[in-house]
């Protein structure tokens, strides 16, 4: 009996020991769980710190990228106008100076001057008037040297240019309404390029701009307008090659009005083989613009290639008879070695030059500033 009780006691003791060990293990596990929780908390804190640092680094990097993007969006620094006008200035005034200086003031000098002015694209009519004015002024002021004659001629030309550009050379755009710019001119003068550059300029000024590809007679013209639209991020309204140009103008003006655009720029066909057909086409386009916009007055700009000389002047005369021009876009002026075309255009048409093209760059179609041009072109 005693032995049996002893065995019972031993089993009980063993069970108690096992329970005690289990309790110890449970306590250890609990401690481990607590340590694990502490470690996890510490890891979270560290991860949070690292994340904050990473976010700061990312934000800093993004800020730098944004600054770089903004910098690339900044307008490129324009070359001074006098640098762009070096070729026409040297060609026009250089030849005048070379011809006049050191000469005796007599009839032969004035005849030689007439020839040179005509060759420099001043034109016959303006040349005759200019030389007559010069002779009277030289006599009145009793100028004795050819150097003085040269300076007097420059002053007369400067005066004519300033007087004929008295009107505001800025585009006449109004806030709160649709502004229409109709662009006309023969093929090859830089009409489409001018439209693209004007669209870019206006968009950079915060205007909502749309273009109407109204030159449907040339598939290339439609493609060029589309290319410019994609390049500057401007919507283009077009139809198939050979469509009625007036239908495109109708769509473009209607879309611009319905979608609250600020400016619609309208391209037109550049054919000039028949003055009567051109007149009928432009009359039709003008009628549609007035009907769709409710406006009787809008900008109509004629594009003239400076390098075409008297041919460009003749184009200007024809368009001036057909449409009510509000201004001139004079392209490729940096590429002409003559430069005289600017004087008869402003004198005969009595229309202000709105833009002057002085390079291939997108920023090189510049708003014409008479004072800046005179200083760049006339000053020694």
């Amino acid at each position: 009996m005693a032995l049996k009780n002893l065995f019972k006691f031993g089993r009980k003791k063993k069970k108690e020991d096992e329970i005690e060990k289990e309790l110890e293990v449970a306590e250890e596990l609990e401690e481990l769980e607590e340590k694990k929780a502490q470690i996890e908390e510490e890891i979270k804190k560290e991860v949070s710190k690292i994340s904050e640092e990473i976010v700061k680094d990312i934000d800093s990097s993004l800020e730098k990228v944004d600054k770089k993007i903004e910098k690339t969006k900044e307008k490129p620094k324009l070359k001074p106008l006098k640098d762009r006008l070096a070729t026409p200035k040297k060609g026009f005034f250089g030849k005048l100076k070379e011809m006049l200086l050191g000469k005796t003031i007599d009839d032969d000098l004035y005849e030689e001057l007439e020839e040179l002015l005509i060759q420099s694209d001043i034109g016959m009519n303006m040349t005759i008037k200019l030389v007559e004015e010069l002779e009277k002024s030289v006599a009145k002021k009793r100028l004795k040297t050819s150097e003085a004659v040269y300076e007097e001629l420059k002053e007369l030309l400067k005066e004519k240019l300033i007087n004929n550009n008295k009107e505001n050379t800025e585009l006449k755009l109004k806030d709160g309404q649709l502004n229409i710019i109709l662009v006309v001119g023969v093929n090859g003068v830089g009409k489409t390029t001018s439209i693209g550059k004007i669209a870019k300029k206006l968009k950079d000024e915060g205007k909502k701009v749309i273009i109407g590809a109204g030159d449907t007679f040339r598939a290339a013209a439609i493609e060029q307008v589309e290319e410019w639209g994609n390049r500057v991020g401007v919507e283009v309204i077009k139809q198939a090659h050979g469509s009625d140009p007036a239908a495109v103008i109708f769509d473009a003006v209607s879309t611009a009005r319905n979608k609250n655009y600020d400016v619609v720029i309208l391209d037109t066909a550049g054919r000039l083989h028949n003055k009567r057909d051109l007149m009928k086409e432009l009359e039709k386009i003008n009628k549609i613009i007035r009907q769709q916009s409710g406006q009787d007055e809008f900008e109509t700009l004629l594009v003239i290639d400076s390098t075409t000389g008297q041919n460009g002047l003749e184009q200007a005369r024809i368009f001036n008879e057909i449409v009510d021009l509000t201004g001139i876009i004079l392209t490729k002026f940096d590429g002409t070695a003559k430069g005289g075309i600017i004087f008869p255009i402003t004198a005969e048409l009595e229309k202000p030059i709105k833009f002057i093209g002085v390079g291939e760059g997108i920023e090189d179609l510049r708003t014409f500033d008479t004072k800046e041009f005179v200083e760049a072109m006339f000053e020694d």
Side-chain angles (χ1 to χ4, degrees), residues 93 96-97 100-101 146-154:
F93 288 111
L96 282 178
K97 197 169 188 177
L100 281 171
L101 299 190
S146 56
E147 285 83 0
V149 174
Y150 170 71
E151 292 301 327
E152 185 64 20
L153 177 59
K154 281 175 66 175

Side-chain angles (χ1 to χ4, degrees), residues 267-319:
D267 190 13
T268 57
R271 303 175 305 160
L272 195 59
H273 58 271
N274 187 307
K275 183 176 168 182
R276 186 180 175 186
D277 286 347
L278 181 68
M279 185 182 295
K280 287 172 67 176
E281 188 176 296
L282 288 175
E283 281 177 354
K284 185 178 179 182
I285 285 171
N286 278 318
K287 185 178 179 181
I288 286 171
I289 291 172
R290 292 188 180 98
Q291 287 175 343
Q292 290 304 303
S293 67
Q295 299 176 28
D296 289 327
E297 295 182 358
F298 47 86
E299 290 277 12
T300 301
L301 306 181
L302 171 64
V303 184
I304 299 175
D305 181 344
S306 304
T307 64
T308 58
Q310 289 302 298
N311 188 35
L313 182 58
E314 184 57 31
Q315 293 166 17
R317 289 192 187 107
I318 293 171
F319 276 102

Side-chain angles (χ1 to χ4, degrees), residues 31-88:
E31 287 178 6
L32 288 171
E33 287 293 336
E34 288 179 1
K35 286 183 180 179
K36 180 185 175 185
Q38 288 176 358
I39 291 169
E40 285 178 345
E41 189 63 31
E42 289 175 2
I43 289 171
K44 283 181 181 178
K45 287 179 180 178
E46 289 299 319
V47 168
S48 178
K49 285 180 183 178
I50 294 169
S51 297
E52 286 177 4
E53 289 176 5
I54 290 171
V55 169
K56 284 180 182 177
D57 288 341
I58 291 171
D59 287 342
S60 177
S61 298
L62 288 173
E63 191 177 342
K64 288 177 182 177
V65 170
D66 287 339
K67 284 180 180 178
K68 284 183 179 179
I69 291 171
E70 287 302 316
K71 199 171 182 180
T72 58
K73 285 182 179 178
E74 289 176 6
K75 289 184 179 180
K77 191 175 181 181
L78 296 178
K79 285 188 177 181
L81 188 62
K82 63 179 181 179
D83 292 347
R84 293 296 194 186
L85 297 180
T87 299

Side-chain angles (χ1 to χ4, degrees), residues 60-270:
S60 177
S61 298
L62 288 173
E63 191 177 342
K64 288 177 182 177
V65 170
D66 287 339
K67 284 180 180 178
K68 284 183 179 179
I69 291 171
E70 287 302 316
K71 199 171 182 180
T72 58
K73 285 182 179 178
E74 289 176 6
K75 289 184 179 180
K77 191 175 181 181
L78 296 178
K79 285 188 177 181
L81 188 62
K82 63 179 181 179
D83 292 347
R84 293 296 194 186
L85 297 180
T87 299
K89 181 176 181 178
K90 183 180 178 182
F92 183 68
F93 288 111
K95 287 178 181 177
L96 282 178
K97 197 169 188 177
E98 185 181 331
M99 189 278 290
L100 281 171
L101 299 190
K103 299 283 185 68
T104 304
I105 302 174
D106 55 18
D107 290 341
D108 289 340
L109 178 69
Y110 287 118
E111 284 183 18
E112 198 175 338
L113 178 59
E114 279 186 1
E115 287 182 20
L116 183 57
L117 290 173
I118 292 169
Q119 290 169 10
S120 299
D121 287 335
I122 291 286
M124 180 66 76
N125 294 335
M126 188 173 181
T127 292
I128 292 170
K129 290 178 184 177
L130 189 61
V131 172
E132 284 178 357
E133 287 179 35
L134 181 64
E135 284 189 84
K136 289 178 183 178
S137 184
V138 168
K140 184 179 180 180
K141 294 182 179 181
R142 298 181 180 181
L143 302 179
K144 302 298 182 183
T145 66
S146 56
E147 285 83 0
V149 174
Y150 170 71
E151 292 301 327
E152 185 64 20
L153 177 59
K154 281 175 66 175
E155 287 304 311
L156 286 173
L157 287 168
K158 188 191 296 185
E159 187 180 295
K160 289 185 180 299
L161 192 59
I162 292 171
N163 288 341
N164 292 318
N165 277 278
K166 278 183 178 177
E167 287 186 55
N168 186 0
T169 57
E170 295 277 350
L171 289 173
K172 295 175 182 176
L173 303 182
K174 297 179 181 178
D175 294 329
Q177 72 171 54
L178 175 62
N179 293 278
I180 298 161
I181 303 174
L182 181 67
V183 184
V184 299
V186 302
N187 293 334
V189 294
K191 184 158 52 74
T192 307
T193 301
S194 296
I195 288 170
K197 290 180 179 180
I198 292 171
K200 169 71 165 56
K201 189 183 294 287
L202 294 176
K203 189 184 176 190
D204 287 348
E205 292 173 4
K207 305 292 185 187
K208 189 179 177 185
V209 184
I210 190 170
I211 300 174
D215 186 356
T216 61
F217 293 100
R218 290 189 309 126
I222 300 172
E223 291 170 3
Q224 285 171 340
V225 171
E226 276 191 291
E227 188 179 324
W228 270 105
N230 292 332
R231 186 175 176 186
V232 302
V234 167
E235 184 180 353
V236 173
I237 300 297
K238 63 168 187 172
Q239 288 189 16
H241 171 226
S243 300
D244 182 0
V248 180
I249 303 301
F250 179 94
D251 285 348
V253 177
S254 300
T255 302
R257 186 194 63 214
N258 295 333
K259 292 186 177 181
N260 296 317
Y261 277 87
D262 298 310
V263 184
V264 56
I265 307 174
L266 304 170
D267 190 13
T268 57

Side-chain angles (χ1 to χ4, degrees), residues 14-28:
K14 184 179 180 182
K15 195 169 185 179
E16 287 175 353
D17 290 343
E18 287 176 353
I19 290 170
E20 192 174 340
K21 283 183 179 179
E22 286 177 359
L23 288 171
E24 287 177 0
V25 169
E27 287 177 0
E28 287 178 3

